[in-house]
Amino acid sequence: MLSACTTVAPSQQAGGAASNALPPAPARTRSPRIGLALGGGAARGFAHIGVIKALEAQGIRADLIAGTSAGSVVGSLYATGMSGLELNRLALNLDPASLSDWALPFRARGLLKGVALQAFVEKAVGGRPIEQMRRPLGIVATDLANGEPILFQRGNTGQAVRASCSVPSIFEPVRIGGRDYVDGGLVSPVPAAFAHKMGADFVIAVDISTRPDTQTTASSFDVLMQTFTIMGQTIKAYELDKYANVVIRPNLPAMGGSDFEQRNLAILAGEEAVARMLPTLRAKLAAA
């Protein structure tokens, strides 16, 4: 930084006049490395698929992906090399009931075990561990013992996704390496900082959360998600302001976190959100 402030000596031109013109700026040698930060929001996570579809239609593809909770599910599938259209097809054919595996009440630390979700992800990614994805992938979870975030970049993809999605009291905590992990949204609702940490020069963050004053609270799950939204507001605002170059916010005011029936509307909302932000995104990418 100090060297950039040193004075450039003027060069002598014909006739003895001095020129104070600075040398031309060096040409950019490569495009910015784009990181996609996909946030949490349960069923609202289908909007991530619409965002990916719309970005691909514009020739914009992520070089790396960081995902929290629902964002880790979509992110892990995208990291295998699936296109947005393939993700769309998989989402519309998904049976939500197949992801439910009720825990035994007398011993459970959550209503659902999460093993079914883990099995779904492992099958969808073809058994690939995180480190063997076509695109670098980071999955964010929370250490239940100390509240610290962890970024999984190696190991069993389905297990890491299960940990990232383990909403406390809904899913049982996931034990990995002798430690218990829960939902990554507690510490990083939209993991822009982790996309930056993974080496992104330009971070596109996708925020699928709702404002607290628009969130429905018709069920106990909705109340829990509302609590998450309230708790995560300050963390999210700081992280997005500091690390995100562009924030895409699909408009889904009426969709609750447990409303899987509106998945197609969520996908469309993701596409529309990209269309709204496209001029800004193009301009910032050109300047990056």
Side-chain angles (χ1 to χ4, degrees):
M1 291 176 65
L2 291 175
S3 64
C5 298
T6 55
T7 303
V8 178
S11 59
Q12 296 295 322
Q13 297 184 356
S19 170
N20 291 324
L22 294 174
R28 189 168 64 195
T29 57
R30 65 177 180 86
S31 299
R33 195 175 189 215
I34 297 175
L36 191 60
L38 303 178
R44 298 165 66 88
F46 288 106
H48 290 315
I49 296 173
V51 169
I52 290 170
K53 282 178 61 182
L55 290 176
E56 285 184 342
Q58 297 297 325
I60 301 169
R61 288 175 170 79
D63 297 298
L64 60 88
I65 305 148
T68 289
S69 198
S72 74
V73 179
V74 176
S76 65
L77 304 184
Y78 187 43
T80 66
M82 286 188 193
S83 68
L85 289 174
E86 289 171 319
L87 291 173
N88 197 148
R89 187 161 50 248
L90 181 64
L92 295 182
N93 290 328
L94 174 67
D95 177 11
S98 67
L99 304 181
S100 299
D101 49 358
W102 298 98
L104 296 175
F106 63 84
R107 58 173 289 273
R109 291 193 288 171
L111 298 176
L112 301 172
K113 290 183 287 187
V115 175
L117 172 63
Q118 177 176 335
F120 165 78
V121 173
E122 289 178 2
K123 181 179 179 180
V125 303
R128 291 184 186 89
I130 299 170
E131 67 273 17
Q132 291 183 15
M133 295 295 178
R134 292 187 182 180
R135 294 181 177 90
L137 172 66
I139 296 171
V140 182
T142 305
D143 188 314
L144 183 60
N146 59 23
E148 292 294 321
I150 183 169
L151 181 69
F152 290 108
Q153 293 184 272
R154 300 185 63 82
N156 185 295
T157 305
Q159 190 177 44
V161 168
R162 176 185 168 196
S164 184
C165 293
S166 291
V167 179
S169 82
I170 300 297
F171 286 94
E172 292 183 335
V174 180
R175 196 155 187 83
I176 302 174
R179 302 191 70 82
D180 287 336
Y181 295 98
V182 293
D183 197 295
L186 290 169
V187 289
S188 183
V190 186
F194 287 101
H196 179 78
K197 181 179 180 180
M198 290 171 65
D201 304 310
F202 191 96
V203 176
I204 301 173
V206 187
D207 178 11
I208 57 171
S209 65
T210 58
R211 298 194 316 271
D213 59 343
T214 64
Q215 182 118 337
T216 60
T217 54
S219 68
S220 59
F221 182 77
D222 289 338
V223 171
L224 187 60
M225 295 306 294
Q226 170 82 325
T227 305
F228 266 48
T229 300
I230 294 169
M231 291 171 57
Q233 283 186 104
T234 301
I235 300 172
K236 182 181 70 176
Y238 170 80
E239 191 165 352
L240 293 180
D241 181 65
K242 186 172 178 64
Y243 295 105
N245 297 89
V246 170
V247 182
I248 296 172
R249 292 185 171 93
N251 185 24
L252 290 166
M255 184 176 181
S258 58
D259 193 355
F260 284 83
E261 297 305 314
Q262 293 197 58
R263 70 190 85 170
N264 195 45
L265 289 176
I267 293 170
L268 292 173
E271 296 180 45
E272 291 167 356
V274 172
R276 288 194 301 271
M277 288 298 297
L278 191 57
T280 299
L281 175 57
R282 287 283 189 201
K284 290 191 174 184
L285 271 174

